[in-house]
Amino acid sequence: MSRVAYVNGRYVPHNDAMVHVEDRGYQFADGVYEVAAVIRGRLIDEEPHLDRLDRSLRELRIAAPMARPALKVVMREVVRRNRLKTGLLYLQVTRGVARRDHPFPKNAAPALVVTAKRLGLPGQKAIEDGVKIITIPDVRWERCDIKTIALLPNVLGKQQAREAGAFEAWQVRDGMVTEGTSTNAWIITQDGELVTREASHAILNGITRLTILKLAEREGLKFVERSFSVDEARRAREAFISSATSFVTPVTQVDQQVIGNGKAGSFTLRLRQAYEAYTAGEGATA
Ligand code: PDD
């Protein structure tokens, strides 16, 4: 089954999907993006992803490429044309094509690309084994709340993790964990309290993060939004990461420290289950 991409008004074979060499995304990383999960052919948390896209665009003063209802049609069409059941939808908006010059161009129209990618879901054993995390300095800029396509520190951090045999790197600023390179970071303390860093300019306010907080509240779980240190993470009872593509993924090692008994903890598994139920129901849009 060949892949299809949407590029500036046209649906094209994925291999032929191209943008101009003077697209400002290509030259300046002058753009924003979203990644939404597709499960059973349905988009997960579509409205919150589009709300965050609007916010990112506003922060960078890039015009919306089209009105939301039209954008939703394009997103559905990309899912449909790719016959996507399980995977992700990638959406990118840049300031458009213009002769290379740093200030905003006067007449560029925002450029929109939407692609789809198939993904397999991990099996039960992989979930129970969890993943390993390393910690690295957070060298990013001070507006990590904007989902920009400028991801070089994230790319370098993820590569460092992979070379260390880890799945993700938690970035650390002033001794406190900010977030992963493409995920939010969570711990469950020895007292059984769920902890994740509060939303601020220091982290991306993950859509999965927001959903998990909502589910935790609904399930009557004890939680707090605050910073935690690397040391606290190493002493945690449980830990996990969240994102549109990893959902709730247990963490069983932070640097050299095994977390809990080295297997996914019960609190984390309960949240993963709640999240899966959410994606099968109210979180999915037709
Ligand atoms: N990453 N923090 C960072 C730095 C991220 O890049 C992401 C998402 C998250 C989690 O956000 P959400 O729950 O909305 O996916 C947190 C996406 C998946 C990516 O870059 O592929």
Side-chain angles (χ1 to χ4, degrees):
M1 175 61 202
S2 53
R3 292 170 74 192
V4 175
Y6 174 92
V7 184
N8 292 324
R10 298 196 310 139
Y11 297 93
V12 293
H14 193 87
N15 288 339
D16 303 332
M18 299 189 189
V19 293
H20 196 274
V21 289
E22 288 199 310
D23 186 287
R24 290 181 59 99
Y26 182 62
Q27 293 190 325
F28 293 115
D30 189 0
V32 302
Y33 75 107
E34 279 297 325
V35 176
V38 175
I39 301 176
R40 298 175 197 85
R42 294 161 78 190
L43 282 158
I44 305 304
D45 275 336
E46 181 183 25
E47 293 292 342
H49 278 289
L50 292 176
D51 289 343
R52 186 173 64 186
L53 176 70
D54 283 347
R55 178 180 185 278
S56 298
L57 288 169
R58 265 198 317 276
E59 292 295 328
L60 300 189
R61 293 156 59 200
I62 296 174
M66 59 177 69
R68 186 175 296 203
L71 185 53
K72 284 183 173 179
V73 170
V74 170
M75 290 163 74
R76 268 167 197 64
E77 195 56 20
V78 170
V79 171
R80 192 185 70 77
R81 290 188 189 224
N82 285 280
R83 294 188 199 164
L84 185 63
K85 294 288 173 249
T86 312
L88 63 86
L89 200 76
Y90 177 83
L91 194 160
Q92 172 174 312
V93 183
T94 69
R95 204 179 302 276
V97 176
R99 207 169 76 155
R100 187 180 181 281
D101 202 3
H102 288 67
F104 296 172
K106 290 223 160 47
N107 299 314
L112 170 64
V113 168
V114 183
T115 59
K117 183 163 104 179
R118 254 161 244 271
L119 278 183
L121 295 180
Q124 196 56 31
K125 175 157 185 338
I127 292 166
E128 272 164 23
D129 286 347
V131 297
K132 185 177 156 187
I133 298 287
I134 59 166
T135 54
I136 60 172
D138 192 337
V139 297
R140 299 174 302 163
W141 72 331
E142 305 210 335
R143 290 306 306 273
C144 298
D145 57 309
I146 307 172
K147 199 163 174 63
T148 82
I149 57 175
L151 290 172
L152 202 44
N154 309 57
V155 166
L156 295 176
K158 188 78 92 186
Q159 182 61 21
Q160 193 179 334
R162 292 298 152 84
E163 287 174 9
F167 182 74
E168 177 63 298
W170 279 359
Q171 301 168 100
V172 179
R173 195 173 283 175
D174 302 326
M176 308 304 259
V177 174
T178 53
E179 61 182 334
T181 63
S182 65
T183 56
N184 287 116
W186 304 72
I187 58 169
I188 290 118
T189 64
Q190 292 297 339
D191 299 334
E193 187 172 53
L194 177 65
V195 182
T196 196
R197 192 173 174 122
E198 71 283 2
S200 70
H201 286 181
I203 66 164
L204 184 76
N205 193 0
I207 302 303
T208 322
R209 172 189 181 280
L210 290 168
T211 296
I212 293 167
L213 288 173
K214 185 166 73 182
L215 296 174
E217 179 152 41
R218 216 181 270 175
E219 302 240 331
L221 302 172
K222 229 175 22 158
F223 69 89
V224 59
E225 292 173 75
R226 64 161 172 82
S227 303
F228 58 86
S229 66
V230 176
D231 191 47
E232 194 177 5
R234 290 188 190 134
R235 283 186 282 107
R237 182 193 286 179
E238 298 180 29
F240 66 91
I241 53 177
S242 69
S243 75
T245 47
S246 65
F247 311 149
V248 173
T249 294
V251 167
T252 45
Q253 193 174 328
V254 174
D255 294 324
Q256 295 316 310
Q257 182 65 53
V258 171
I259 305 297
N261 65 0
K263 292 280 175 195
S266 55
F267 198 124
T268 304
L269 291 176
R270 182 170 168 195
L271 276 177
R272 183 169 175 106
Q273 230 170 27
Y275 188 76
E276 280 175 4
Y278 174 83
T279 63
E282 66 182 295
T285 43

